[in-house]
Amino acid sequence: MRLVSVMRTGFPSQSGSDIERKGALQVYASALGRFPEWVIERACRDAIEGRIGKGQFAPSAAEMATHCEGIVRQAREEMGAIERILSARVYHEPTDEERRKVVDGFERLSRDLAAALEMEEAGKPRLEPMTLEQVTERAGTLAAGLRLSEETRRRLGLMEQEGA
């Protein structure tokens, strides 16, 4: 309770006997004894700097305890935020090999779909397999609202069938 004693000397106090001062310190010790020293130290500094109450008199033991609870609550909230960050799922950045496997798989799927459509519907225009890059480029063109050439629309099967 040395810290509280130091804090009390930072404020003008009413005259009192040694017994009264010791009694007051015992009240502070009782109210603040459950808090770690760093919390009490910070609360004392806040009191001396006028951040508790009106800053004109030493805060009561109850005011100090309430302020200490606020400091502890703030520290717990910060610890919770740190814990959430430390336990967050980390995004996995794919390796070049993983990216290559995806591109290869997409190209294989594109070829297989084009071949299946060609076999099932011999009367329709032939669809060419596309790379992932080509699909992405075409999707971006469609999303941007740009007009596709007749050739591209025909290749994508977007042309209306004549006589239909």
Side-chain angles (χ1 to χ4, degrees):
M1 281 296 109
R2 179 183 57 78
L3 296 171
V4 176
S5 172
V6 169
M7 183 205 61
R8 298 259 319 149
T9 62
F11 291 91
S13 62
Q14 301 167 355
S15 62
S17 68
D18 283 344
I19 294 175
E20 290 172 327
R21 283 192 295 276
K22 285 180 184 178
L25 289 176
Q26 286 177 340
V27 171
Y28 277 96
S30 174
L32 304 179
R34 60 191 163 113
F35 297 106
E37 186 175 341
W38 69 269
V39 172
I40 298 169
E41 184 176 301
R42 182 166 155 199
C44 288
R45 187 179 42 228
D46 289 349
I48 291 168
E49 293 174 1
R51 290 189 289 242
I52 300 177
K54 295 183 180 180
Q56 297 173 344
F57 302 100
S60 69
E63 289 174 317
M64 287 294 287
T66 300
H67 192 75
C68 286
E69 287 169 2
I71 293 169
V72 169
R73 184 175 29 262
Q74 182 181 15
R76 283 190 179 133
E77 288 170 3
E78 187 174 342
M79 285 171 46
I82 291 169
E83 180 61 33
R84 284 189 299 279
I85 290 169
L86 292 176
S87 63
R89 187 171 175 210
V90 178
Y91 173 74
H92 168 71
E93 185 67 33
T95 64
D96 288 340
E97 178 160 340
E98 290 170 326
R99 290 174 198 261
R100 185 187 52 72
K101 285 181 181 179
V102 169
V103 168
D104 290 348
F106 182 82
E107 288 173 353
R108 188 171 45 256
L109 174 65
S110 180
R111 281 192 308 274
D112 292 349
L113 286 174
L117 288 172
E118 188 175 298
M119 288 181 358
E120 289 178 13
E121 302 178 25
K124 288 195 174 182
R126 185 176 192 284
L127 294 175
E128 296 293 325
M130 298 171 64
T131 65
L132 184 57
E133 185 177 294
Q134 289 170 321
V135 170
T136 303
E137 181 181 320
R138 290 204 179 140
T141 301
L142 291 171
L146 300 175
R147 295 193 57 92
L148 299 173
S149 69
E150 279 188 40
E151 167 71 17
T152 303
R153 289 191 320 206
R154 185 187 58 71
R155 290 181 66 201
L156 292 174
L158 300 175
M159 299 289 290
E160 290 185 12
Q161 297 277 335
E162 289 189 33

